[in-house]
Amino acid sequence: MKNQKQIRQTAYKPDDGFIGRKQELIRETVIPYQYSVLRDEAPDTEKSHVIANFVNAGRALRGEDVGDGFYGMVFQDSDAAKWLETVAYSLAIHPDEELEATADEVINIIASAQDEDGYLDTAFTIKDRDHRWQNLLEGHELYCAGHMMEAACAYYEATGKDKLLKVMEKNAEHIYDVFITGGHKGYPGHPEVELALMKMYRLTGNHKCLELAEHFINVRGVDPHYFENERKSRDWVVWGSDGRDHDYQQSGRPVREQSDATGHSVRAVYLYTAMADLASETDDKELLDACNRLWESITGKRMYITGGIGSSVNGEAFTVDYDLPNDTAYCETCASIGLMFFASRMLESNADGRYGDVMEQAFYNTVLAGIQLDGKSFFYVNPLECVPGISGKASTHWHDLTQRPKWYACACCPPNLARCVCSFGKYAYGENEKTAFCHMFASGKVEFENGLKLSCKTEYPFGFDVNYTVLDGEGALAIRIPAWSKEFSLTVNGEIVNHEIRNGYAYLSVKASDEVALKLDSLPYYVYPSNKIPELTGSVALCRGPLVYCFEGKDNGWCDGNILSLSLTGDDDISPEKAERLPDEIVALKVPAVKSCEVSGLYTLSKPVYEKGYAKAIPYYAWCNRGENQMRVWMNLI
Amino acid sequence: MKNQKQIRQTAYKPDDGFIGRKQELIRETVIPYQYSVLRDEAPDTEKSHVIANFVNAGRALRGEDVGDGFYGMVFQDSDAAKWLETVAYSLAIHPDEELEATADEVINIIASAQDEDGYLDTAFTIKDRDHRWQNLLEGHELYCAGHMMEAACAYYEATGKDKLLKVMEKNAEHIYDVFITGGHKGYPGHPEVELALMKMYRLTGNHKCLELAEHFINVRGVDPHYFENERKSRDWVVWGSDGRDHDYQQSGRPVREQSDATGHSVRAVYLYTAMADLASETDDKELLDACNRLWESITGKRMYITGGIGSSVNGEAFTVDYDLPNDTAYCETCASIGLMFFASRMLESNADGRYGDVMEQAFYNTVLAGIQLDGKSFFYVNPLECVPGISGKASTHWHDLTQRPKWYACACCPPNLARCVCSFGKYAYGENEKTAFCHMFASGKVEFENGLKLSCKTEYPFGFDVNYTVLDGEGALAIRIPAWSKEFSLTVNGEIVNHEIRNGYAYLSVKASDEVALKLDSLPYYVYPSNKIPELTGSVALCRGPLVYCFEGKDNGWCDGNILSLSLTGDDDISPEKAERLPDEIVALKVPAVKSCEVSGLYTLSKPVYEKGYAKAIPYYAWCNRGENQMRVWMNLI
């Protein structure tokens, strides 16, 4: 049964707090930059061709010359979809006529690329119209459809304009005709359409969307060999997967029987998101049980402290329990975004603080690390250790780069990150008929459908006072108390009041003009690993609030930037500091440490000689903003 | 200028000391087992087909039906060569008429597979006679020829029988005709023939062998694009390499200009071995300089404490400086054998103790770890950490197995290890006109060409007294004092005598009936890593003599086998112990340690709770002899 849901996307209006500033960065820098990429007008960057693909697909449908045809990944269309979705969220926060006009124009171009029967995919429409729906494993037709559905919903919610929504409803009906009416036995190679169909259903009430989402979830893995047989039935491939890696495809058994998070981590969490969505929508206990098991598998055995998931570059995938290497970590930005999706949907059935804990762990660490502070370059892979000379160089480290590139040939992450940041309000706030939920702390105003209207003022994640004012309405307020906050205080109108703590949330009755003040623990703290994680034995991490800290060479001249020579003593004498050459808002930490003196050669029989001092740490998300240098999250504890 | 050389292979006769027992294991167990593999008579093991390939190649040459044709790797012939070479070394130690008759028979079969012009390679003779010498990158024709030349030399030296030697001299002349007279521009994809030609030259005096070895070394990398162009010039491949990875192929520049040890680690050290051989033979200063740089690159920046080399499964290769992961280490057994070859040849030009140090580091740790104590199964890959559940399971760990297999489809390592063990004397002892060199400590008798005759008694590597008796002759004795031995004493006839220590060797004048007693340091010691190695920060290893120790779950019930939960305190209270369920000769060590208590979940804010105790370690080479369990060499130091 649905416990609570995300707020409408127009319900949260940021102020100039941390979240508002990040959203402004996306609006001012990322949206125009990405648009120039989509149009191939950005200098010195990967070719995109996304807009041209839609133009050319339209030409193909009209029987015209397709010009320079299709270019890019088979899922190139999704970049346009994510850009539009980001624009929609941004318009909901910050109206902008010119941007809206540009988006309308892009939507017109997209609409022109839709086939008469509702089909929409430029790769196949331009190159392989007779190959439609033959390669669900690699073809990404359903994936692209899903992203465009999400964009359509967001754009309609933000602007009231339904052109793209109608295009995608027609597209959904076409997919229904193929898979339900037509009896196509396939299911998505890359889950995404399922969660998008749930959004479409909730927005439009179109029952076919629910039916279709349910269908794709229900048939998945019932025939584990579907993809292998699909491969055998055609003489063409995209990359050449034989479909036999059932774990990679989350297709080894019906989803209700799955327990371990396996395979391509983005695909996994997109699937689990839809499963959790459907479970809450249809009150499907068995499905929710599977979601709970998969959640435990990820967060209890396969997740980095940064909320990163997917340990291995091989298939961008989960590996096995407790296999969490720092240096070769994959931790795709998209995967942590997907983990936030999953967490947010788990909250629908069960408002439990652990989901919010993970949501902000993923957001404030891996997701934000995905973007340079100036908004102009992006990480796809987010390792927890960087050693120039090894990182990006050794053949086992080609994927973990020492600097953020401006764009990627496979450009899933930057636009995904942009839409995630701009829709932060939907993850931060939730509601049901009686209660307003504060899952995460986002400064600004929020209007709940239940009549409550709040303002929230906070400098979170660097300030730990969160002050709510009830602007209107009456009801319950449920505020998540983060698990990392060893102490906290909560007052209403200056008085300590009775409040119930249930599953990590403080529940309060509030009415208009109430002032609710939450003080969270501002003390930095150490985190220690389980002794089941081989990579982390004997190490310690430093955190403050939701932020995981890291140590960079640039801040640690006393060891000549050789972070590898530093160990933390674990002492509590930690103090906030100014971070050099980083924005003022960022709080650095000075922490007791020792450095080991250099020795000649690889190995020595002489005991290490240590020098005492202080190391300086900065938030992990801000790493790599001052040029190439060593970086470490987990430090040796001495 | 040649400073000293290896002893003749018949010059060392082991007693029942450690080396003699290992050689006996090879003779009794490995040689017959491998012979049954070569004949496909071993149950439950990888198919080999090696003997059948030679039989079928003979048929092909006679125009007969080739039966079941060729099977196996393109370098399958080399397994027969290494077996024969091992047999030769074994016969030199322990005459065995039946074994010799079997070997003669195998030699007859091999001889029957030689083409009229001297060509010998069953893969090409059976399948692709018109493809000869077209794919030096992948075809391994020169590699197989090299191994057979080594076998031919060894068999002649052991038995005086020259049938195989004549076959391989003819083969060498054929290769000379193709590459020198015929002007073929290629050079070996997998170096090996160069070092083998040096052996042939030294044994037979055939100058064409020297010329050919020199030619292959000199042309290598002069045209760095040779392999790429070779690939373009043919329409067939073995595995499909495009030849563009010059580092992998050690072909990016002429060998005299190379400085970093790169690429496939076995190929690298085989090449460097031949370079060092040639440098000492021809007094080639420039070539020796390159060898010195490459030696420093390996031993100063790219070598594990176990003498393992080649950090990565990707290409079985070196990666970059200080990239030495324990868990995903490749450390191919063959690579450490090749490192011994390289060290032994470096000694030719310069009798410096560091070569012997590395030679025994490689032998007593990685090489011996390659074989089960019962001689019946083998490791190809030798990681320094094993965590069942991750090792062999995670996609990044498929290569690091938790148990030794009985054989391999690519079976280079087991027979290489066998020939290495049986020829240990040649690496342990060296000589020049005046001096007998003891590079390593091998119990037994040894006769030098310079007239000195010694007996050596020692329980090394578990005992640290080495007692030499001069049985005959008069001259200088040069005994390597291992770098790990913090203290030592040396007496002649019970008296401390004047001895010069030069470059790690103690030089003594001796005469018949002198008793020379060396006492090395028997105390276990800790080794600490350079702070440039990311993987090893904060860790420590335990050693005794040349043996690196490791910690296995089976010995450490007090932490329920979870070695990951143990840290060493670094205290000197270390004592020898009986190793449970391991042969009596093996000395285990009891060492002060703490174990961390288990926590729930992946991460915790609670400080670790430790319990004091003692951990038990066994020699690394003996790991994995009591079933699957956790194993670690580098332990957290607390």
Side-chain angles (χ1 to χ4, degrees):
Chain A
M1 216 188 69
K2 210 184 285 189
N3 184 294
Q4 60 87 51
K5 62 176 186 179
Q6 292 183 342
I7 56 167
R8 290 160 300 122
Q9 72 187 43
T10 50
Y12 168 69
K13 305 284 181 197
D15 58 16
D16 61 354
F18 185 84
I19 296 300
R21 295 196 299 273
K22 289 290 171 201
Q23 292 180 334
E24 191 62 8
L25 179 74
I26 302 294
R27 190 184 73 83
E28 285 199 325
T29 304
V30 181
I31 289 175
Y33 176 65
Q34 196 194 343
Y35 185 62
S36 74
V37 171
L38 299 183
R39 300 194 70 94
D40 293 313
E41 290 164 0
D44 308 324
T45 191
E46 289 285 348
K47 181 174 168 181
S48 163
H49 210 257
V50 168
I51 301 294
N53 287 340
F54 282 102
V55 170
N56 293 344
R59 287 193 187 127
L61 292 173
R62 296 190 300 274
E64 297 168 13
D65 178 69
V66 298
D68 59 354
F70 178 84
Y71 172 87
M73 295 283 172
V74 70
F75 48 81
Q76 204 79 349
D77 289 4
S78 62
D79 289 355
K82 287 189 223 164
W83 179 80
L84 269 175
E85 191 182 342
T86 308
V87 168
Y89 296 139
S90 182
L91 291 175
I93 298 162
H94 187 113
D96 179 331
E97 277 180 31
E98 197 183 324
L99 179 59
E100 190 168 329
T102 302
D104 286 341
E105 198 184 312
V106 170
I107 287 169
N108 287 337
I109 294 170
I110 292 169
S112 76
Q114 183 170 40
D115 215 332
E116 271 181 34
D117 60 2
Y119 184 86
L120 176 63
D121 187 296
T122 71
F124 287 85
T125 299
I126 294 172
K127 295 189 306 176
D128 300 299
R129 283 178 81 177
D130 55 343
H131 284 171
R132 284 177 175 193
W133 310 123
Q134 290 178 9
N135 189 345
L136 298 191
L137 178 56
E138 304 177 313
H140 283 67
E141 290 155 288
L142 291 168
Y143 172 84
C144 288
H147 274 300
M148 202 59 83
M149 288 175 193
E150 287 198 88
C153 292
Y155 202 72
Y156 174 76
E157 279 200 76
T159 64
K161 291 176 182 170
D162 66 357
K163 179 161 186 172
L164 189 59
L165 188 62
K166 284 199 154 37
V167 164
M168 295 318 294
E169 273 202 274
K170 185 174 172 185
N171 181 255
E173 305 245 353
H174 169 69
I175 296 171
Y176 187 96
D177 289 344
V178 172
F179 288 86
I180 307 277
T181 319
H184 190 305
K185 301 285 185 207
Y187 45 87
H190 193 315
E192 152 66 22
V193 76
E194 303 90 329
L195 75 87
L197 285 163
M198 290 302 298
K199 279 192 181 177
M200 290 262 285
Y201 165 67
R202 285 168 174 174
L203 184 68
T204 66
N206 183 334
H207 210 269
K208 282 187 175 174
C209 292
L210 176 63
E211 243 183 280
L212 199 47
E214 198 161 12
H215 167 77
F216 284 135
I217 288 170
N218 287 346
V219 299
R220 182 168 211 93
V222 172
D223 172 11
H225 303 289
Y226 171 75
F227 291 125
E228 287 154 84
N229 294 330
E230 182 192 77
R231 169 67 192 90
K232 287 178 199 148
S233 70
R234 58 180 151 76
D235 59 3
W236 61 276
V237 299
V238 177
W239 296 285
S241 167
D242 61 14
R244 284 162 56 186
D245 190 346
H246 299 166
D247 275 352
Y248 174 77
Q249 301 150 190
Q250 297 92 29
S251 64
R253 61 191 69 192
V255 298
R256 284 176 185 73
E257 297 171 20
Q258 297 186 14
S259 295
D260 291 331
T262 67
H264 189 272
S265 57
V266 177
R267 298 179 195 212
V269 284
Y270 280 20
L271 171 65
Y272 308 156
T273 298
M275 286 163 61
D277 244 349
L278 185 68
S280 75
E281 192 65 41
T282 61
D283 211 3
D284 185 331
K285 173 87 174 54
E286 205 188 348
L287 193 57
L288 186 61
D289 285 347
C291 290
N292 278 320
R293 291 194 304 273
L294 292 162
W295 177 267
E296 281 309 312
S297 169
I298 294 176
T299 61
K301 292 173 181 170
R302 301 184 175 196
M303 185 179 74
Y304 287 88
I305 189 178
T306 52
I309 54 173
S311 308
S312 171
V313 63
N314 301 339
E316 312 185 313
F318 288 107
T319 60
V320 295
D321 293 346
Y322 308 114
D323 176 37
L324 297 163
N326 293 313
D327 55 341
T328 59
Y330 201 71
C331 292
E332 184 177 340
T333 310
C334 284
S336 288
I337 294 168
L339 182 59
M340 291 178 66
F341 296 166
F342 183 26
S344 176
R345 301 320 194 280
M346 290 301 281
L347 283 168
E348 290 174 1
S349 293
N350 181 14
D352 190 307
R354 63 199 161 131
Y355 302 116
D357 287 342
V358 168
M359 205 154 53
E360 68 173 17
Q361 195 174 5
F363 180 79
Y364 285 108
N365 299 294
T366 300
V367 177
L368 287 186
I371 183 169
Q372 195 82 354
L373 293 173
D374 67 5
K376 291 179 177 165
S377 54
F378 305 88
F379 271 136
Y380 188 115
V381 169
N382 297 283
L384 281 76
E385 173 178 298
C386 174
V387 179
I390 296 178
S391 299
K393 297 277 188 208
S395 65
T396 39
H397 288 70
W398 282 333
H399 59 286
D400 49 273
L401 306 179
T402 59
Q403 293 280 277
R404 290 177 185 85
K406 288 164 81 173
W407 205 250
Y408 291 84
C410 172
C412 51
C413 296
N416 213 357
L417 190 153
R419 70 175 180 142
C420 175
V421 169
C422 286
S423 58
F424 190 84
K426 300 211 300 173
Y427 301 92
Y429 295 102
E431 61 180 315
N432 62 26
E433 281 177 18
K434 289 179 282 186
T435 311
F437 286 87
C438 304
H439 304 305
M440 296 192 287
F441 309 105
S443 208
K445 287 184 184 165
V446 55
E447 283 188 41
F448 299 87
E449 288 180 79
N450 62 21
L452 274 168
K453 204 169 158 181
L454 294 182
S455 94
C456 170
K457 276 278 169 201
T458 183
E459 282 307 317
Y460 200 85
F462 293 108
F464 297 92
D465 289 353
V466 189
N467 295 307
Y468 298 96
T469 305
V470 182
L471 302 175
D472 205 359
E474 186 170 345
L477 191 58
I479 306 173
R480 181 182 132 259
I481 308 299
W484 54 258
S485 193
K486 288 178 186 166
E487 297 185 349
F488 74 97
S489 76
L490 193 57
T491 60
V492 180
N493 304 322
E495 309 271 318
I496 292 173
V497 292
N498 264 345
H499 61 260
E500 182 192 5
I501 294 274
R502 200 164 70 235
N503 297 330
Y505 283 80
Y507 286 81
L508 296 166
S509 294
V510 292
K511 57 182 190 314
S513 86
D514 275 353
E515 304 273 350
V516 180
L518 173 65
K519 285 185 189 294
L520 294 168
D521 199 336
S522 66
L523 285 183
Y525 57 96
Y526 293 109
V527 175
Y528 306 90
S530 156
N531 63 22
K532 289 179 179 161
I533 309 171
E535 178 82 359
L536 300 185
T537 50
S539 68
V540 63
L542 180 67
C543 298
R544 185 171 180 248
L547 298 174
V548 175
Y549 275 67
C550 72
F551 295 79
E552 276 202 300
K554 301 280 178 192
D555 294 306
N556 290 284
W558 70 300
C559 66
D560 297 323
N562 185 19
I563 296 298
L564 304 179
S565 69
L566 300 183
S567 298
L568 302 190
T569 63
D571 293 328
D572 284 332
D573 168 25
I574 309 168
S575 51
E577 282 229 329
K578 165 91 190 82
E580 306 289 329
R581 295 192 288 133
L582 288 177
D584 284 342
E585 70 193 19
I586 292 179
V587 176
L589 296 173
K590 204 177 98 181
V591 54
V594 298
K595 78 169 174 182
S596 65
C597 298
E598 217 162 302
V599 298
S600 79
L602 288 169
Y603 312 108
T604 176
L605 274 54
S606 309
K607 282 202 179 189
V609 176
Y610 297 110
E611 196 180 299
K612 279 193 182 179
Y614 285 86
K616 192 165 173 179
I618 61 161
Y620 171 74
Y621 82 81
W623 87 278
C624 191
N625 272 278
R626 295 164 298 179
E628 195 176 79
N629 67 172
Q630 283 190 7
M631 181 279 290
R632 253 190 176 182
V633 169
W634 289 100
M635 301 290 282
N636 183 50
L637 175 66
I638 207 155
Chain B
M1 215 187 70
K2 210 184 284 190
N3 184 295
Q4 61 87 52
K5 63 176 186 179
Q6 292 183 342
I7 55 166
R8 289 161 302 122
Q9 72 187 42
T10 49
Y12 168 69
K13 305 285 181 196
D15 58 16
D16 62 354
F18 185 84
I19 295 301
R21 295 196 298 274
K22 288 291 171 200
Q23 292 180 334
E24 192 62 7
L25 179 74
I26 302 295
R27 190 183 74 82
E28 284 200 324
T29 305
V30 182
I31 289 175
Y33 177 64
Q34 196 195 342
Y35 185 62
S36 74
V37 171
L38 299 183
R39 301 194 69 94
D40 294 312
E41 290 165 0
D44 308 325
T45 191
E46 289 285 348
K47 181 175 167 180
S48 162
H49 210 256
V50 168
I51 302 294
N53 288 337
F54 283 102
V55 170
N56 292 344
R59 288 194 186 127
L61 292 173
R62 296 190 300 273
E64 298 168 12
D65 178 68
V66 298
D68 58 354
F70 179 83
Y71 172 88
M73 296 282 173
V74 70
F75 47 81
Q76 206 77 351
D77 289 4
S78 63
D79 289 355
K82 286 189 224 163
W83 180 80
L84 269 176
E85 191 183 342
T86 308
V87 168
Y89 297 139
S90 182
L91 291 175
I93 299 162
H94 187 112
D96 179 331
E97 276 180 32
E98 195 183 325
L99 179 59
E100 189 168 330
T102 303
D104 288 340
E105 198 184 311
V106 170
I107 287 170
N108 287 337
I109 293 170
I110 291 169
S112 77
Q114 182 169 42
D115 215 332
E116 273 180 32
D117 59 2
Y119 184 86
L120 175 63
D121 187 296
T122 71
F124 287 86
T125 299
I126 294 172
K127 295 189 306 174
D128 299 301
R129 284 178 80 177
D130 53 346
H131 284 173
R132 283 176 175 196
W133 310 123
Q134 289 178 9
N135 189 346
L136 298 192
L137 178 56
E138 304 176 313
H140 284 66
E141 291 155 288
L142 291 168
Y143 172 84
C144 288
H147 273 300
M148 203 59 83
M149 288 174 194
E150 288 199 87
C153 293
Y155 202 73
Y156 174 75
E157 281 199 75
T159 64
K161 292 178 181 168
D162 67 357
K163 177 160 187 172
L164 190 58
L165 187 63
K166 285 199 152 37
V167 164
M168 294 318 294
E169 274 201 274
K170 184 174 174 185
N171 181 254
E173 305 244 355
H174 169 69
I175 296 172
Y176 188 95
D177 289 344
V178 172
F179 288 87
I180 307 275
T181 319
H184 191 304
K185 301 285 186 208
Y187 45 87
H190 193 315
E192 153 64 25
V193 77
E194 303 91 330
L195 75 87
L197 285 163
M198 290 303 298
K199 280 192 182 178
M200 290 263 284
Y201 165 67
R202 285 167 174 175
L203 184 68
T204 66
N206 184 335
H207 210 268
K208 281 186 175 175
C209 292
L210 176 65
E211 242 183 282
L212 199 47
E214 197 160 13
H215 167 78
F216 283 136
I217 287 171
N218 287 345
V219 297
R220 184 168 209 94
V222 172
D223 172 11
H225 303 288
Y226 171 75
F227 291 125
E228 287 154 84
N229 293 330
E230 181 191 77
R231 170 65 192 92
K232 287 178 199 148
S233 71
R234 59 179 151 75
D235 60 2
W236 60 277
V237 298
V238 176
W239 296 286
S241 167
D242 60 14
R244 285 163 55 187
D245 190 345
H246 299 167
D247 275 352
Y248 175 76
Q249 300 151 190
Q250 299 92 28
S251 64
R253 62 191 69 194
V255 298
R256 284 176 184 73
E257 296 170 21
Q258 297 186 14
S259 295
D260 292 330
T262 69
H264 189 273
S265 56
V266 177
R267 297 178 195 213
V269 284
Y270 280 20
L271 172 64
Y272 308 155
T273 298
M275 286 164 62
D277 244 349
L278 186 67
S280 75
E281 192 66 41
T282 61
D283 211 3
D284 185 332
K285 171 88 173 56
E286 205 189 348
L287 192 57
L288 186 62
D289 285 347
C291 290
N292 278 319
R293 292 194 303 274
L294 293 162
W295 176 267
E296 281 309 311
S297 170
I298 294 177
T299 60
K301 293 173 179 170
R302 302 183 176 197
M303 185 179 75
Y304 287 87
I305 190 178
T306 51
I309 54 173
S311 309
S312 171
V313 63
N314 300 338
E316 311 184 313
F318 288 107
T319 61
V320 294
D321 292 347
Y322 308 114
D323 177 37
L324 296 163
N326 292 314
D327 55 341
T328 59
Y330 202 71
C331 294
E332 184 178 340
T333 309
C334 285
S336 289
I337 294 168
L339 181 59
M340 291 177 66
F341 296 166
F342 184 26
S344 175
R345 300 323 193 277
M346 290 301 282
L347 283 169
E348 291 175 0
S349 294
N350 181 14
D352 190 306
R354 64 198 160 130
Y355 302 117
D357 286 342
V358 168
M359 205 154 53
E360 70 172 17
Q361 195 175 5
F363 180 78
Y364 284 108
N365 299 294
T366 300
V367 177
L368 286 187
I371 183 168
Q372 195 83 354
L373 293 174
D374 66 5
K376 290 179 178 166
S377 53
F378 305 89
F379 271 136
Y380 189 115
V381 168
N382 297 284
L384 281 75
E385 173 177 298
C386 174
V387 179
I390 296 178
S391 300
K393 296 278 188 206
S395 65
T396 38
H397 290 69
W398 281 333
H399 59 287
D400 48 273
L401 306 179
T402 59
Q403 293 280 277
R404 291 179 185 83
K406 289 164 81 174
W407 205 250
Y408 290 86
C410 171
C412 51
C413 296
N416 213 357
L417 191 154
R419 70 175 180 141
C420 175
V421 169
C422 285
S423 58
F424 189 84
K426 300 211 299 172
Y427 300 94
Y429 295 101
E431 61 181 315
N432 61 27
E433 281 178 17
K434 289 180 283 186
T435 311
F437 286 87
C438 303
H439 304 306
M440 297 191 287
F441 310 104
S443 209
K445 287 183 185 165
V446 55
E447 283 187 41
F448 299 88
E449 289 180 78
N450 61 22
L452 274 167
K453 204 167 159 184
L454 294 182
S455 94
C456 170
K457 276 278 170 201
T458 182
E459 281 308 316
Y460 200 85
F462 292 109
F464 297 91
D465 289 353
V466 189
N467 295 305
Y468 299 96
T469 304
V470 182
L471 302 175
D472 205 359
E474 186 169 347
L477 190 58
I479 306 173
R480 180 182 133 259
I481 308 299
W484 53 258
S485 192
K486 289 178 185 167
E487 298 184 349
F488 74 98
S489 76
L490 193 56
T491 58
V492 179
N493 304 322
E495 308 270 319
I496 292 174
V497 292
N498 263 348
H499 62 262
E500 181 192 6
I501 293 275
R502 198 164 71 235
N503 297 329
Y505 282 81
Y507 287 81
L508 297 166
S509 293
V510 291
K511 58 181 189 316
S513 83
D514 276 354
E515 304 273 351
V516 180
L518 173 66
K519 284 185 188 298
L520 294 168
D521 199 335
S522 65
L523 284 182
Y525 56 96
Y526 292 110
V527 176
Y528 306 90
S530 156
N531 64 22
K532 290 178 178 160
I533 309 170
E535 178 82 0
L536 300 186
T537 52
S539 67
V540 64
L542 179 67
C543 299
R544 183 169 180 250
L547 298 174
V548 175
Y549 275 67
C550 72
F551 296 80
E552 276 203 301
K554 300 281 177 193
D555 293 306
N556 289 284
W558 69 299
C559 65
D560 297 321
N562 185 19
I563 296 298
L564 304 179
S565 69
L566 299 184
S567 299
L568 301 191
T569 63
D571 294 327
D572 284 332
D573 168 25
I574 309 168
S575 51
E577 283 229 330
K578 165 92 189 81
E580 305 289 330
R581 294 193 288 135
L582 288 177
D584 284 342
E585 69 193 20
I586 292 179
V587 176
L589 296 173
K590 205 177 97 180
V591 53
V594 298
K595 78 169 175 184
S596 65
C597 298
E598 218 163 300
V599 299
S600 79
L602 287 170
Y603 312 109
T604 175
L605 274 56
S606 310
K607 283 201 178 189
V609 176
Y610 297 109
E611 195 182 298
K612 279 191 182 179
Y614 286 86
K616 191 164 173 179
I618 61 160
Y620 171 73
Y621 83 79
W623 87 278
C624 191
N625 273 278
R626 296 163 298 179
E628 195 177 80
N629 66 171
Q630 283 190 8
M631 181 278 291
R632 254 191 175 180
V633 169
W634 289 99
M635 301 290 281
N636 183 50
L637 175 66
I638 207 156

